Structure formats: C-alpha cells, structure tokens
Amino acid sequence: MGILEKIAEIEREIARTQKNKATEYHLGLLKAKLAKYRSQLLEPSKKGEKGEGFDVLKSGDARVALIGFPSVGKSTMLSTLTKTESEAANYEFTTLTCIPGVIEYKGANIQLLDLPGIIEGAAQGKGRGRQVIAVARTADLVLMMLDATKPNVHRELLERELESVGIRLNKRKPNIYFKQKKGGGLSFNATCSLTRCNEKMVQTILHSFKIFNAEVLFREDCTEDEFIDVVTANRVYLPCLYVYNKIDQISIEEVDRLARQDFSIVVSCNMKLNLDYMLEALWEALQLIRVYTKKPGAPPDFDDGLILRRGVSVEHVCHAIHRTLAAQFKYALVWGTSTKYSPQRVGIAHVMADEDVIQVVKK
C-alpha cells in the first residue's frame, strides 16, 4: 500500500467519522497520521531522477508566485506587468515550466514567477503539481489568479491543495511553544483557557509522532490542527492576494461583490484595468519600504534607494549599505516620518519608516 493510498484511506475514514466528544481523540490521531504521510510526500525521493530543472534562482527584493488553474490569464499578467514574454494561447497548459519576470515598482525589483496551471490532485503529484507547489513554498507572497467568469469553487479547491502540502495562506503562526526533550515525560501548560484542545488530545497527537518527552506551552486557544502544524514544523505561512481576472466579461454588480471580499483584487489583463491598484496592494502585502541615504553636505540620493522590509532598524540599514558599517557606527541622523523632528539623532535600534532619509556618522 503506497503513501497515496494510505492518505486516501485516512481521508475517507475522517469523512465517515461523526464528530463528537467520543470520537474527537480518534479524529486527532487520524489528522496527525495524515500530516505525517503528507510531509513524507513532500520529501524528495531517494532516487535522484535527473530531469529538466524547474526552480529559478531567487533574485530581486521579493519573490511572488503566480498560482492558478490553467487558462485564467497568468501568462498574460506576466507579459503585461514585466518585460518578459510568456506564451499565452486559448488552450490549457500553454505554460509548461516556471517562467520568471521582474516587476519594477517604486524602485524595487519584484520577481514574479509564472507557474504552470494547477489541477485538482496537484498535491499528489498530478500535472507537475508537486514541483509547482515546491516553488510556491519559496516565495514571499502567493498571487492566486482566478477566473471571475467561473464559480468561486476554484478558490476553495486551490486553497485545499496548498493547505494539504503545508502552505497556510493569510494565517499567523500558532503561538505555541514546543520543544522535544531527552526525558521527563510530557510537560503541558497553557496561559489561557483552552476550549478547542486539551492535554489528552496533545498527548494522543504526540504519541502518534512517537514523541513521549516534550515541553508544550499554549499561549493562545488553538485547534488540534494548529498544534499538528507546530509539531511537524514544515509549514510555510504566506500572505496571499486573490486576483480575479476577466472582469470585463461579467456584470458590474458581480465585480462589486468580488472586490469587497477580503484580500481580493479585480483586474482585467486584456483591457489593463485596475493593474495599478494591484501593484499597490502587492507592495503593501510584501511590507516593503524605501530608505534613502545622504552624504554629509550633499542632498539625499533619491535615485538609488535601499529596499527593505517594514520594521527594520538602523542596524539593518547599515548592513544593507556595507557589512562593516554597523561595527563602526557612532550615531545616525534621520529625516522622515519615523522621527519626532527632522533631522533627529538616533541610535542603532531606531526603527525606520517608508521614504526616510538617513545619514550615518562613523566613529
């Protein structure tokens, strides 16, 4: 019995089992087994089959993966936003490998990967699905392309495929401290009242992973699924934007309904509608900021800014300029919204904001 059959068997049993107090531990055990088999699927096989390379070298300031069913307009989007031409045609599976392009926006180079269309059952390896999903795991953000003319069931199908291979969209990492120990049994604590999980459930799940000595601390009320995510420790938490393409073919009421959903953007690649707003949303979701440098006695260099992530300190800026600069740092002068007055003399721990100007003074 192969791994795929085992997974299918467990999924059928979960669907058959009624959910109540008597069966919750049995269900927890089944979910843990399912997570274990699925993580085995993700591991590369020992026989190194030589094939055509699929992944692309990471470049630029951020990496965005375009994911969607075949023929929803991913290649058209890539050709419209970047200088790269990706073959687009009216039949499915026009794109057969990963095609990279670069979006130049606000001085940042954002790498956009046009991936082949995903079909149902991609997580089990159908239609190069496993390679597509492996590339998506390395991205900073997932751009999910959907066809506005088709029913919304596509979105749920794609979410389920990504969920089954350990990609969690628009979710935070569960606030659970978990550490395996050499001995001493299971130490279980919680800093809040737990309504969706308890010590017996945690013990059942850990036993199925053959873990008998561990320290577990729940800092928030989590479900057993979230606890399994923490134990397997191979989950990726990515922001995701749902892009509905082909809005020129549906009614304005339907466009309005789609645009009001969470994390949703409506566009038309053929007619180039709303693409500027999509880029702005992409910039916000990636949490990028620009920091400009200034030499003493000279105006700031607004042509060549540093692209960094939101929440960076002056120390990160020093490393971005030169790796030896942080060691020689004395103080910095900062102009911009992160200061109370301009220029403000700040230390190495000061947090920068978008479009700040910095002048570093060495010892």
Side-chain angles (χ1 to χ4, degrees):
M1 200 179 190
I3 293 179
L4 291 176
E5 287 87 31
K6 284 178 183 171
I7 287 175
E9 181 61 42
I10 291 172
E11 279 174 344
R12 278 199 295 276
E13 193 169 343
I14 288 176
R16 277 201 309 265
T17 310
Q18 283 187 336
K19 197 174 188 316
N20 55 40
K21 275 215 168 136
T23 61
E24 63 180 359
Y25 299 112
H26 177 59
L27 279 170
L29 198 62
L30 288 177
K31 283 176 182 170
K33 275 186 186 169
L34 196 59
K36 207 156 77 177
Y37 287 137
R38 277 183 177 156
S39 55
Q40 279 175 20
L41 259 189
L42 287 179
E43 287 165 13
S45 58
K46 295 285 180 282
K47 298 188 212 76
E49 297 114 13
K50 286 279 181 285
E52 192 186 326
F54 194 84
D55 201 359
V56 178
L57 192 68
K58 203 167 184 172
S59 70
D61 302 297
R63 187 177 211 185
V64 175
L66 259 179
I67 280 186
F69 277 97
S71 225
V72 290
K74 296 187 293 295
S75 299
T76 316
M77 163 87 79
L78 184 84
S79 307
T80 312
L81 293 178
T82 69
K83 291 173 182 156
T84 311
E85 282 300 317
S86 181
E87 193 186 337
N90 283 337
Y91 52 87
E92 298 191 339
F93 294 109
T94 320
T95 309
L96 293 172
T97 181
C98 178
I99 298 173
V102 176
I103 304 173
E104 289 169 8
Y105 185 67
K106 291 187 180 178
N109 290 333
I110 300 168
Q111 187 182 35
L112 187 66
L113 301 178
D114 177 19
L115 297 168
I118 281 187
I119 52 175
E120 215 179 327
Q124 278 82 44
K126 279 189 196 166
R128 294 204 92 168
R130 223 174 297 161
Q131 288 142 305
V132 171
I133 287 166
V135 174
R137 284 172 75 93
T138 64
D140 299 305
L141 178 132
V142 171
L143 210 58
M144 196 182 280
M145 287 285 284
L146 299 156
D147 193 334
T149 59
K150 296 204 176 133
N152 210 15
V153 70
H154 279 190
R155 174 171 168 169
E156 289 152 26
L157 276 174
L158 281 172
E159 279 176 349
R160 212 174 309 135
E161 288 295 331
L162 295 179
E163 191 97 355
S164 68
V165 289
I167 296 176
R168 302 283 177 263
L169 301 177
N170 296 326
K171 282 184 186 171
R172 276 188 316 111
K173 208 170 175 180
N175 196 353
I176 300 173
Y177 171 76
F178 170 75
K179 189 182 178 194
Q180 262 184 274
K181 295 189 299 186
K182 290 277 190 325
L186 176 67
S187 138
F188 178 86
N189 279 307
T191 56
C192 58
S193 58
L194 300 180
T195 57
R196 300 187 284 182
C197 196
N198 56 27
E199 187 170 354
K200 191 181 170 191
M201 176 69 85
V202 166
Q203 206 166 1
T204 311
I205 289 167
L206 289 178
H207 281 194
S208 75
F209 282 100
K210 296 190 171 54
I211 297 170
F212 303 100
N213 304 302
E215 203 175 326
V216 179
L217 172 64
F218 276 71
R219 294 200 186 95
E220 62 183 4
D221 191 11
C222 295
T223 60
E224 67 262 33
D225 292 323
E226 288 172 321
F227 178 64
I228 291 169
D229 286 354
V230 172
V231 177
T232 46
N234 61 356
R235 304 297 188 237
V236 186
Y237 296 85
L238 295 178
C240 174
L241 291 176
Y242 302 98
V243 179
Y244 288 91
N245 189 20
K246 307 184 186 178
I247 56 164
D248 47 318
Q249 299 172 20
I250 56 172
S251 65
I252 192 76
E253 292 81 22
E254 185 64 10
V255 172
D256 187 58
R257 188 186 68 79
L258 291 174
R260 287 178 192 280
Q261 292 178 4
D262 287 344
F263 309 109
S264 289
I265 301 160
V266 288
V267 298
S268 168
C269 291
N270 268 350
M271 298 180 76
K272 297 186 172 53
L273 298 176
N274 210 23
L275 292 176
D276 49 349
Y277 173 70
M278 194 196 79
L279 286 175
E280 183 58 48
L282 201 62
W283 176 270
E284 276 301 308
L286 285 167
Q287 300 191 335
L288 297 174
I289 62 166
R290 290 157 294 178
V291 174
Y292 301 107
T293 53
K294 177 186 179 306
K295 288 179 181 169
D301 180 12
F302 285 122
D303 296 329
D304 191 20
L306 301 168
I307 306 291
L308 301 158
R309 293 296 163 104
R310 202 178 296 157
V312 296
S313 63
V314 174
E315 187 176 2
H316 293 104
V317 177
C318 291
H319 282 300
I321 298 168
H322 196 275
R323 59 197 162 89
T324 60
L325 191 58
Q328 303 167 333
F329 179 87
K330 189 179 180 188
Y331 66 89
L333 295 172
V334 175
W335 291 256
T337 51
S338 70
T339 58
K340 292 195 175 98
Y341 46 86
S342 293
Q344 184 176 331
R345 181 175 164 163
V346 298
I348 202 155
H350 175 78
V351 176
M352 306 295 286
D354 192 19
E355 296 201 64
D356 276 3
V357 174
I358 186 169
Q359 177 185 321
V360 177
V361 178
K362 295 199 284 190
K363 284 174 187 163

